Amino acid sequence: MIAKVIVDISASEVDRVFDYETVDGAEIGSRVLVPFGRQDVEGYVIALSDTSDCPPDKLKAIVEVIDDRPIISEEFLKLCDFMTERFHLRKIDVFRLFLPSKMRGGRIKKLEKTFVYINPEYLDQDPSLFIKKSAHSQAEVYEYVLGEGEVEQSYLNANFSAAAVRNLVCRGVFLTRQAEVLRTPFSRVVKKDKEITLTPDQQAAADHILSSDKPTLLFGVTGSGKTEVYLDCIERVLWSGKSAIMLVPEISLTPQVMRIFRARFGDEVALLHSGLSDGERFDEWRRLLTGSAHVAVGARSAIFAPLDNIGLIVIDEEHDTSYVSESNPRYITREVALFRANYNGAKIVMGSATPSVESFYNAERGEYSLVSMPNRINKRELPKIEIVNMCDEAAFGNNGMFSSRLITELDECLKSGNQAIIFLNRRGYSSYVMCRKCGYVAKCDDCDVSLVYHKEENVLKCHYCQRRYAMLDLCPQCKSPHIKQGYMGTERVVEELKKIFPSVRIMRMDNDTTRTKDAHMRILGEFSSGNADILVGTQMVAKGHDFPNVTLVGIVDADMSLHFSDYRAVERTFQLITQVAGRAGRDIKPGKVILQTYTPNHYVYRYATAYDYEGFYKKEINLLQTTSFPPFTDILRLLISCEDEGKALDATKLATDRIRAVAATRSDDFVYLSAMRSPKKRIQTKYRMQVLMRVRVKSDIRRIVYGVADEVAEKFPQVTCFTEINPNDLS
């Protein structure tokens, strides 16, 4: 029997099937060790056959089967085929998505510990017969183990006399056994489940989701109780003997979601996301694989949870850009979810208070079914959004980052014992440093981007390659000491707030303060418990969180996302404003939002302050149709990068020539075609070029572009060439 194997080497030249003689235990989906070149490498059996095109004298045998069961299901083999074709990926890069990264190469193992228990022969005896009166430590540890029944030996050694434990084990009074211990993330996250009766809106939404033969778009305002709808649907799916996947956009949401889900479903829930330790992720993944857990909760990667018989997939905050992977392997979570739902005959629901224009368009066309939840629970009012024109503030002599109105509202909020959230979607202290005399701007040596000043560490950081530089005292070009700092970040916001409110407790939540394990949970837990009065944060604080005591939200720079050179900039601004505004007034206390802007007359603010999503959608979809942007076309991008600028240019020219030749004969399929340097011309020492296209949705140009990418990769081996469909970031 011949095993068809994909080897675990991420290179285009070996991205194909290799034949090996099979061995006992090698099944379809097995992970195996195979001879490849001069070494043994891991691989995956994707098929078994009676024949091989490989000459018998060159056919090698599998060295060993690594796991005690196949780990790649038939569904995942088909999903791999779908993703490689749809997103132009290498098979091995897709396979690597299906299992914890540290499993590869055996870098993570099951955790086994030694447990101690009393030998049954001694249980009915008087301890004085085998423990001397003077052996107080032995008597103490014996009494403890007697009361507990079985105790981890490491715990006994740490809390009692290790010598006493060793003595009792050596004499046979204590027996030991080895047992696997599961590493459970957030094991202390426990919450009592409340008996909740769904509102009529919630009940109707849940019934619709589970009865619809189409994907459902759940359009519910912030605070309308979408999470309870998800819980009810998952509960019913579990009753029917099926499993479920719940996706959230930010790992900052997972402690809150896990608390809610554990209260309802207990050990049925497993967590998958990048913030876990390697051991925790491995053990949670195995609980799903073996069927001891039936609900996977997590960020984007949880869509690859190894579950069978899926009955429901939930994508919460479906509009969020984090659901699109923008590094290799590039994929769109929604499309993977739709594939898995179709394969399993599962229901799929995508929820949001601000659905993406594309999703609402699909609902309008009938591809999705639409369910609306227009009211908050108990008919609570949405917080009033008040616009402050920062140009007027400057005219009256206020050149600070906070308007007088925001300071007044903050003062009143804090005096009344309430909490506030201050939102600014830019971390660090200042976004750039510049010489006032000659105009020099500090940039990363490896990337064509400005360095961001972080005052707490007094360093300049590149947010793309993470390199660090000393802060400037003098301009390196003209030696001037007059160094200007640019747009403020969250670190600067905290500093300025402390000057205005010196006795107020302030916490910050951004990528810098949440790098350590469980940092999200700690910050959110302390703020929720009332240990801080103000939470300053980036978009991490904008979604999903429920803080009953927050009555004020301040949006420091609402224009920040508005002026990006991106056709989705206005849509994202509307979404961010609505989402962060929804953090205020979620309990009985009314909420208020102060929105600071330099362009108060922009139409996005008119719709955002009225929470008029449908009005905004109608205007936006009309603009997109008029200008032929998605969802009326597809944007395709060939992103070409290389440390050798000349080779990157040559590869870009080849790609452009090939695509222009196609466009000359199929002009109706192309709306736009151009080649250029990427806006960020260099990242991590690599020069970046791009070929941008807008093509008709139903055309097969995508396949032709994939072929061009393959030709570029073959002719320029040192060049990296990625293809992207409707990327979030065109920089």
Side-chain angles (χ1 to χ4, degrees), residues 116 122 130-131 137-143 145 162-175:
V116 170
Y122 289 85
F130 51 85
I131 298 177
S137 296
Q138 291 182 31
E140 185 182 20
V141 73
Y142 180 85
E143 286 299 318
V145 175
V165 174
R166 190 164 54 250
N167 180 288
L168 291 169
V169 170
C170 289
R171 292 196 290 123
V173 177
F174 284 170
L175 299 179

Side-chain angles (χ1 to χ4, degrees), residues 257-387:
V257 173
M258 278 300 287
R259 187 178 290 114
I260 295 168
F261 272 62
R262 279 236 180 93
R264 180 71 63 92
F265 305 119
D267 290 338
E268 286 282 318
V269 183
L271 181 62
L272 294 177
H273 73 67
S274 59
L276 304 182
S277 71
D278 296 327
E280 287 172 342
R281 187 173 176 84
F282 176 65
D283 286 350
E284 291 289 89
W285 178 85
R286 283 195 303 124
R287 290 207 304 125
L288 293 164
L289 180 71
T290 57
S292 60
H294 295 93
V295 181
V297 174
R300 180 178 70 214
S301 61
I303 193 58
F304 303 109
L307 286 167
D308 292 326
N309 197 20
I310 298 171
L312 178 70
I313 299 175
V314 179
I315 306 178
D316 192 29
E317 309 292 0
E318 68 84 30
H319 64 276
D320 197 272
T321 57
S322 67
Y323 286 126
V324 178
S325 170
E326 294 188 306
S327 59
N328 186 47
R330 289 163 164 79
Y331 64 90
I332 300 170
T333 304
R334 181 185 65 251
E335 296 194 23
V336 177
L338 288 168
F339 177 91
R340 296 203 72 182
N342 289 334
Y343 183 91
N344 288 275
K347 308 299 181 184
I348 182 167
V349 55
M350 297 164 278
S352 178
T354 54
S356 66
V357 167
E358 179 185 355
S359 292
F360 208 82
Y361 178 69
N362 285 336
E364 193 176 58
R365 290 194 305 160
E367 290 189 23
Y368 300 164
S369 61
L370 179 66
V371 178
S372 295
M373 293 170 60
N375 301 307
R376 278 186 156 187
I377 297 294
N378 300 330
K379 308 293 183 183
R380 291 193 292 267
E381 291 291 323
L382 288 162
K384 181 186 176 185
I385 302 177
E386 183 179 329
I387 293 180

